Amino acid sequence: MPVQPRFLRCLRLAAIVVGLIACDAAFAVDALALRGALDHDPYTTAREATQRAAAARSRGDQKVLLESLTQVAMAYNLVGDSVSAQPPMVEAQHLATELRDLDAEALLAAVEGEIKAADNRLADAHRAFEAALDAVKRSGNRDTEAIVRSQYGWFLARSMQRHQDGALEFEAALSHFERTGNRTREAELRYMSASLYDRLRDPKRGNAERTRALELINPAHQAYLAATIYYELGAVAQSNENRGEADRALRRSIELSRSIGDKLGVAFAELTLADVLIDQGNAREAVDTLRRAGPVLAAGQNTLAVAGIDVRLADALAMLRDPEAWAALARAKPVLMATETVQNESTYWRAEARVNAAFGRYEQAYAAVQRQLRAQQRLFDTQQIQALTELSVRYETQRREAENTRLKLAEQLKDATIQAQQARQLALAGGLAAAVVALLSGVILLRRQVAQKQAFRSLALLDELTGAPNRRAVMQFAESVQARAAASTHGAVIALLDLDHFKRINDSYGHDVGDAVLRNFYKAAASAIRPDDMLGRAGGEEWLLVMPVAQPGAEQAVFERMRSAVAHMPADGLPSGLVVSFSMGVARLRPGETLTHVLRRADLALYEAKQAGRDRMAMAD
């Protein structure tokens, strides 16, 4: 019959069309396979993937080319070689867009985020991670999502100092890999989480996570990952002065890194091993170890790591009474002090004190020790504020849980009241008694929940709308900085920020849009400040920025980074083309100056910035 062949031809044609559409839309890189291939030897994997990419390019195989380029970018990013990672990343990003591969887009955006974070371009890094999360959300691939969220969590914790937020990302990714039985990815998440628990002041859990991570993998097949975990174990043991354990773990890390030709991994482990050797009094081996590691780190153009070599070399050479210690110390000083981080400043003064003492310059050694102690005190103050901020996040979470419990209890109380009324109407004595008991119990529990809610609110150090440190938190930090400003060699900076024309935004587009602007402003501005700085909401659209250690000109650099980040932030509810800006008044803290006085000077500078046309920074006299 003629109808059947025509029907079959149409069916076959439809199948072909559907197949073509499926082939066009369904291709996606295998995120787990790409990431898993890097666990043993990312260097060899990168070379092999580069060769596959060249072959695929020559024969026009775009899918294999995308897969190979993505793996090359991931491999070089993993080992910290951003220079080699960028070209394949950029080429692969264009290809992923062309092929509509959302998984590749997500993985590559996460690589871009890590590269920019390493370059301290935190606002750009945050935007890249947001793009990665958006792509993986549209993809729906849970494996890719877990990989990206683990990288995002690392960025939040390490670069943004948002430890609690980082922990939530880690826990979500870890839960996925535990459910799917992926032991290697679970191990990676556990060792990453361990660093976070160290920062959250839970070292016991941190060590437990590292130990569990090693149990989940086989170093013979995942040498790079195992070497990284052993390095972390050694570094933590050294910081806890457990030198025997540190020595064993670091030497095992070096052994594994050498087995796969990871020269950079060997050098970083030797850098930390040198600390152990110096503390053990083994200066000669420390010098030899540092001189092996130095050229490798210098070749990688890691100036901070090279300065770390020099400052340790100065210490070890001084123990041997070798005058070359002075030259090493002089090389380290400008690099460590220019970072404007209290930790690096403390490291330098400690080395200067020990070198001076070794050569009998006790007065200079004493002065360096005093500087080191003052730097350590500032570091302690900063860590205390960060700890309080983390604690306030936990209180806020518990407060919300208490609020939810209170609302549920109110519903139960309402039900109990209705039951009591019904019981009264029916004159059922037994039922009435039960309802009264339930009502009384509900009232007692409700009072407890309200009291708990009020207690949590009184302890909170975060602004409820934006999640930023609130006025009390940032003022406490400013007071601690002011109390120790005289001890700083670079001075402290207090700045007041105010969103330009914010009232106009509220009046024109509504308070919901205004609230979104405040939330997005904090998210963008906080991504651009330095790790030791604090930005808090002083009230309304006004913000307070505290920079504990700032060389002249540092405030301008921070302002420009913040300005760029805010200009590119999401504009929820605002018309296209409307860019949010802010003005900033800056005052450098003077010796003996009160916090009230420096805030007044910053406020006058803010007024000058507003009068000069807004969207700018002004310095106080």
Side-chain angles (χ1 to χ4, degrees):
M1 294 174 64
V3 176
Q4 188 175 6
R6 187 181 300 116
F7 172 75
L8 291 174
R9 285 198 299 274
C10 290
L11 196 61
R12 282 195 292 269
L13 180 61
I16 291 171
V17 171
V18 170
L20 288 172
I21 293 172
C23 289
D24 183 55
F27 175 73
V29 297
D30 186 338
L32 279 181
L34 291 178
R35 181 62 189 84
L38 308 179
D39 293 320
H40 181 64
D41 183 356
Y43 297 96
T44 299
T45 301
R47 288 193 295 270
E48 292 174 350
T50 301
Q51 293 170 356
R52 286 198 305 275
R57 192 182 289 108
S58 65
R59 65 175 184 268
D61 190 336
Q62 288 188 308
K63 294 178 180 178
V64 173
L65 177 59
L66 173 60
E67 190 175 69
S68 302
L69 289 172
T70 301
Q71 190 166 59
V72 174
M74 291 172 68
Y76 283 124
N77 176 58
L78 180 65
V79 300
D81 187 352
S82 58
V83 174
S84 299
Q86 282 185 318
M89 178 193 75
V90 172
E91 184 180 354
Q93 283 178 320
H94 291 303
L95 198 53
T97 302
E98 183 181 335
L99 294 177
R100 293 184 291 171
D101 188 334
L102 293 171
D103 291 277
E105 284 184 25
L107 294 172
L108 292 163
V111 168
E112 182 182 3
E114 291 192 326
I115 289 174
K116 289 180 176 177
D119 197 31
N120 206 33
R121 295 164 58 192
L122 301 184
D124 292 337
H126 205 279
R127 282 194 290 274
F129 275 113
E130 286 181 335
L133 292 168
D134 177 66
V136 83
K137 181 180 179 181
R138 289 183 286 128
S139 162
N141 188 315
R142 299 297 185 189
D143 291 333
T144 307
E145 179 186 3
I147 291 172
V148 169
R149 291 187 74 173
S150 67
Q151 292 174 279
Y152 182 51
W154 193 251
F155 164 72
L156 289 174
R158 280 293 180 92
S159 301
M160 304 290 290
Q161 305 299 309
R162 290 165 53 187
H163 303 130
Q164 194 69 27
D165 291 339
L168 294 175
E169 297 297 330
F170 282 151
E171 287 170 6
L174 180 59
S175 176
H176 170 76
F177 289 129
E178 283 179 322
R179 285 196 308 272
T180 57
N182 190 315
R183 292 168 61 88
T184 306
R185 299 278 67 78
E186 180 187 343
E188 182 182 42
L189 260 298
R190 288 191 179 282
Y191 110 76
M192 292 169 75
S193 300
S195 297
L196 191 57
Y197 291 124
D198 292 339
R199 292 167 186 265
L200 291 172
R201 293 156 187 82
D202 191 356
K204 185 176 180 180
R205 183 169 181 184
N207 283 333
E209 293 292 348
R210 291 185 186 91
T211 302
R212 175 60 180 151
L214 286 173
E215 293 170 353
L216 289 166
I217 61 173
N218 182 350
H221 302 298
Q222 287 112 9
Y224 183 84
L225 179 57
T228 304
I229 298 171
Y230 274 113
Y231 171 78
E232 289 279 342
L233 277 170
V236 171
Q238 166 60 11
S239 67
N240 293 331
E241 299 185 357
N242 189 342
R243 297 185 184 94
E245 182 180 335
D247 188 284
R248 288 189 295 273
L250 290 167
R251 291 184 190 277
R252 179 60 172 146
S253 177
I254 292 168
E255 178 187 357
L256 287 166
S257 295
R258 280 190 179 136
S259 72
I260 57 173
D262 181 7
K263 295 181 181 179
L264 201 60
V266 170
F268 274 109
E270 287 182 329
L271 182 64
T272 306
L273 179 61
D275 285 329
V276 180
L277 295 170
I278 290 170
D279 288 345
Q280 291 174 334
N282 193 345
R284 175 52 59 195
E285 187 179 355
V287 169
D288 294 341
T289 300
L290 290 165
R291 283 178 170 161
R292 281 197 306 270
V296 177
L297 295 175
Q301 300 181 342
N302 191 324
T303 55
L304 189 57
V306 172
I309 289 283
D310 282 330
V311 78
R312 290 166 175 82
L313 195 58
D315 201 344
L317 288 169
M319 292 171 68
L320 298 172
R321 303 295 190 276
D322 188 332
E324 192 183 336
W326 297 107
L329 194 64
R331 290 193 301 268
K333 184 175 183 178
V335 178
L336 293 177
M337 301 301 274
T339 62
E340 298 184 21
T341 60
V342 182
Q343 183 65 62
N344 288 335
E345 184 183 339
S346 176
T347 298
Y348 172 77
W349 290 124
R350 174 179 180 270
E352 181 173 302
R354 294 173 69 156
V355 171
N356 275 294
F359 287 96
R361 294 161 53 95
Y362 298 113
E363 184 177 347
Q364 292 87 341
Y366 177 77
V369 167
Q370 292 296 104
R371 293 189 180 99
Q372 182 200 358
L373 291 174
R374 288 194 289 264
Q376 287 179 331
Q377 183 62 57
R378 292 199 308 278
L379 179 62
F380 175 78
D381 291 341
T382 302
Q383 290 172 340
Q384 286 296 99
I385 291 295
Q386 289 174 348
L388 286 171
T389 303
E390 294 290 345
L391 186 61
S392 70
V393 172
R394 298 180 187 180
Y395 277 131
E396 179 65 16
T397 301
Q398 293 179 41
R399 185 191 69 77
R400 289 174 181 169
E401 290 174 353
E403 176 69 9
N404 291 334
T405 303
R406 186 189 68 80
L407 291 173
K408 290 178 182 177
L409 192 56
E411 287 295 320
Q412 293 172 4
L413 184 60
K414 182 179 177 181
D415 292 341
T417 304
I418 293 171
Q419 290 172 10
Q421 291 172 346
Q422 291 172 343
R424 193 163 44 248
Q425 290 170 356
L426 295 172
L428 296 176
L432 180 60
V436 169
V437 170
L439 181 61
L440 290 174
S441 300
V443 169
I444 292 169
L445 288 173
L446 182 58
R447 285 179 177 174
R448 288 179 181 173
Q449 292 297 332
V450 170
Q452 186 181 19
K453 175 183 174 184
Q454 292 171 343
F456 285 142
R457 280 180 172 163
S458 68
L459 285 167
L461 291 170
L462 292 185
D463 174 58
E464 195 163 344
L465 173 64
T466 62
N470 62 17
R471 182 179 181 82
R472 182 169 61 154
V474 73
M475 285 297 289
Q476 284 178 359
F477 185 57
E479 286 166 2
S480 70
V481 168
Q482 182 271 337
R484 307 195 182 278
S488 175
T489 57
H490 301 308
V493 163
I494 303 293
L496 285 173
L497 293 71
D498 192 84
L499 271 65
D500 297 328
H501 303 299
F502 182 73
K503 185 177 184 301
R504 186 183 302 171
I505 292 174
N506 259 341
D507 293 344
S508 301
Y509 307 106
H511 289 282
D512 288 344
V513 173
D515 289 349
V517 168
L518 290 172
R519 284 191 292 267
N520 290 334
F521 171 80
Y522 172 66
K523 192 175 181 182
S527 72
I529 63 177
R530 306 170 309 169
D532 291 337
D533 301 338
M534 177 180 282
L535 176 68
R537 188 181 179 197
E541 68 271 26
E542 192 170 273
W543 303 77
L544 177 61
L545 173 65
V546 182
M547 302 170 64
V549 179
Q551 291 181 334
E555 58 272 18
Q556 183 68 47
V558 170
F559 171 75
E560 293 299 339
R561 288 201 303 270
M562 293 170 67
R563 185 185 188 189
S564 174
V566 170
H568 292 91
M569 74 183 193
D572 303 332
L574 296 178
S576 177
L578 180 59
V579 176
V580 176
S581 65
F582 68 97
S583 303
M584 186 164 94
V586 177
R588 189 166 283 275
L589 200 57
R590 296 167 177 166
E593 187 175 23
T594 65
L595 184 58
T596 301
H597 191 265
V598 73
L599 284 170
R600 187 179 300 120
R601 291 197 298 116
D603 192 40
L604 289 172
L606 175 61
Y607 178 77
E608 290 178 15
K610 292 281 190 182
Q611 291 297 106
R614 296 181 170 83
D615 191 23
R616 65 195 65 216
M617 184 193 88
M619 289 290 300
D621 295 333

